[in-house]
Amino acid sequence: MSLTLIGLFIAFLGFYFLLSQLKKHKKSFNYRVLTALIGGLVFGSLIQLTLGNHSVVAGEFSELISIFGSGYIKLLQMIVIPLVFVAMTASIMNVEGNGSLSKIAPKIIGVLIVTVAISAIVGIASIYVFNIDANSLVSVVGSNSAIEARNNNLVSTQELMTNNGLSELFLSIIPSNIFEMLTGAEKTSTLSTVLFGMFLGFSVLQVKKRKPEKVQGFIDFINAAKEVVLSMVREILKLTPYGVFALMTTFMMTNDLFALAEMGRFLLASYSAIIVMFGIHLVLVSLFGLSPKTFAKKTWPVLVFGFGSRSSMAAIPLNVETQTQRLGVDEETANMSATFGTSIGQNGCAGIYPAMLAIMAAQVMGIPVDFNFILQLVAVIAIASFGIAGVGGGATFAAVAVLTIMGLDITIVAILVSIEALIDMARTALNISGSMLSGVITAKRNGSLNTTQYNAQSTTPIQKESEVSA
C-alpha cells in the first residue's frame, strides 16, 4: 500500500471525523448532508486533478471507499421492498370508511400522471431552449471502453423489452411468484410489490367488514412490522452524510472532468427543467387555494434529504411525516401518495429525463420531431412511468423503456450515464415533491386537509422523535 493511498484514506477519514463533529455541534441533518455533498465533489475533483482519472492509486482508493459508498446504496436497496410492501399494505388496510379508498387512490394517481406528462413537455422544451445538439455531443465526447460497455448492457435490456413487447412489460408487473418479487430481482419488482400490497390490503379490508375479529391479529402484525421497518430505515438514514461523501468523491474521481464540462449544457438544461417543474408544482398548489410559499418551506427538508440520498423510497418516512405533521394531510392519503410516488409518475426520473433523451436520440437518427412525435412521446412517457423504481438508476431504465417503445437508438443514454448522478440528485427531489403534491391536492379535493395545520407557522423539525442523525 503506497503512502499516497494511505494519505488519501487518512484525509477521507478526517472528513468523516468532521461530519461527526458537526453532529456534536448540533448542526442539522440536512446541513451535514449538503456539507458531505460539496466536500465529496471538491475532494474527488482535487484527486483527479492531482493524480488523473486513470491513476492506479486513484483506482485503488476508489475501490477502498466503495465499502462506504456502495455499502450505503446496498443498505437502501435492501430495505426498499420491505418498506414498500408494509407501507402500501398498511396504508390500504387502515383506510376508514367504505368509499375512502376509491376517493383517494385514483386522485393521487391522476395527479402523478398529469404532472409527469407536464414534466415531459418541460423536458422537451429545455432541449430547444438551450439549443442542445446531440450530434455535437456525441462527436465531442466520442466513445471509450466504459461507454461501449454501458451501451452493450443497455442494448441487452432494450432487446429484452423489444422481444417481450409492451403487453409483456405490463404483464410482468403482475407477480407470478411473490417470494421472487420480494427479492427485488426484476426491474418491475417495485411496482409488483405495490400491486400485491394494494391487493393484500384491500383483501384485509373486505374481511374486516365481515369478521373484524378474525383479521385483527394480522392487522396488528402488519402495523407492528411497519414500525420495525421504519425503525430500520431511520437507522440507515443516519449514515446518509457518510454515504453521500463517499459516493460524490468516487464520482468526481473516476469521471473525466473534460467530458463532464462538455456535457455541462445538458446538465444546465436538466436543472433548469427541474427548477421550472418545481415552479409548476407551486403554481398547482396555489390553484387549489393553498400557499405555495408554505408548501415550499415545509417540504424543503425532505427534498434536501432526497437530493443527497438519491432515493425517493428511502424518503418515504420523512415524506409521510411531513405531510401528516406539517402539511395537514390525513394519514391514509399521505401513506398512499408517498408510496405511489416511488413507482408511478415520477416527474424527474420518468418524465423530464426520458423526454430529453428521446429528443436527442431523434436528432442522432435524423427523425423529424413534429407535433405527432411529441404527442406520442408524452403519451408513452405517461404510460411507461408506471413501475420506475425510486432508487438511483431508475431514470436510466425509464429512458431505455421510452426509447425502446419509440423505436429510438439508446447510445445517448450510455454517454450521459456518466453525469447521471449529478442530475439524479435534483430529479429525486422533484420526484418527492410530486408525491407530496399529489397528497396535498388529493386531501384538499376530498376535504380531509387540515388547512389550519397547513398554514401554521410552526416549523418544528421533522423526525425529532426518531432522531435521524449520524
Side-chain angles (χ1 to χ4, degrees), residues 307-333:
F307 189 88
S309 68
R310 296 176 57 202
S311 174
S312 54
M313 288 185 177
I316 287 178
L318 298 178
N319 188 331
V320 173
E321 208 161 340
T322 297
Q323 289 193 58
T324 55
Q325 296 184 14
R326 306 182 77 186
L327 295 174
V329 178
D330 59 284
E331 189 170 349
E332 292 90 348
T333 302

Side-chain angles (χ1 to χ4, degrees), residues 62-245:
S62 175
E63 182 178 356
L64 181 61
I65 65 174
S66 67
I67 298 172
F68 304 92
S70 298
Y72 172 70
I73 294 298
K74 282 191 171 294
L75 286 174
L76 290 178
Q77 292 172 338
M78 174 191 73
I79 204 66
V80 159
I81 296 296
L83 176 61
V84 171
F85 174 68
V86 296
M88 179 51 66
T89 304
S91 65
I92 299 294
M93 73 180 190
N94 290 326
V95 170
E96 298 294 337
N98 294 331
S100 296
L101 183 60
S102 61
K103 287 171 59 180
I104 297 172
K107 290 174 184 175
I108 290 174
I109 295 174
V111 172
L112 291 171
I113 295 303
V114 169
T115 53
V116 80
I118 295 173
S119 68
I121 296 172
V122 171
I124 293 169
S126 67
I127 293 292
Y128 295 101
V129 169
F130 285 85
N131 194 29
I132 294 177
D133 184 359
N135 291 295
S136 298
L137 180 64
V138 171
S139 63
V140 170
V141 176
S143 180
N144 54 46
S145 57
I147 291 176
E148 290 173 358
R150 290 194 297 261
N151 189 56
N152 292 336
N153 184 46
L154 293 172
V155 165
S156 64
T157 302
Q158 185 181 42
E159 288 175 350
L160 180 63
M161 292 181 179
T162 303
N163 294 334
N164 288 340
L166 188 60
S167 60
E168 287 295 325
L169 188 62
F170 278 103
L171 285 174
S172 66
I173 295 172
I174 303 174
S176 57
N177 185 327
I178 63 169
F179 299 103
E180 183 181 10
M181 171 198 77
L182 292 173
T183 65
E186 301 296 328
K187 293 290 185 181
T188 56
S189 292
T190 304
L191 191 55
S192 296
T193 305
V194 170
L195 181 64
F196 181 75
M198 289 177 64
F199 185 49
L200 179 61
F202 180 75
S203 299
V204 171
L205 275 180
Q206 300 310 303
V207 178
K208 190 163 68 170
K209 291 176 186 177
R210 299 189 302 269
K211 300 177 180 179
E213 71 282 357
K214 295 288 187 181
V215 78
Q216 189 57 49
F218 183 77
I219 292 174
D220 293 339
F221 169 74
I222 292 294
N223 285 329
K226 179 183 175 183
E227 292 304 316
V228 172
V229 172
L230 289 178
S231 178
M232 293 173 66
V233 171
R234 288 167 185 142
E235 293 303 313
I236 294 172
L237 298 191
K238 294 178 181 180
L239 303 174
T240 298
Y242 305 97
V244 167
F245 177 67

Side-chain angles (χ1 to χ4, degrees), residues 406-422:
M406 294 290 292
L408 300 171
D409 182 71
I410 61 171
T411 302
I412 195 70
V413 181
I415 292 176
L416 293 173
V417 163
S418 59
I419 62 167
E420 191 194 357
L422 291 177

Side-chain angles (χ1 to χ4, degrees), residues 330-367:
D330 59 284
E331 189 170 349
E332 292 90 348
T333 302
N335 274 292
M336 229 175 289
S337 62
T339 308
F340 280 163
T342 62
S343 56
I344 299 174
Q346 293 185 347
N347 290 188
C349 292
I352 290 176
Y353 191 65
M356 295 178 72
L357 265 60
I359 298 299
M360 295 173 71
Q363 290 176 350
V364 172
M365 297 176 69
I367 297 174

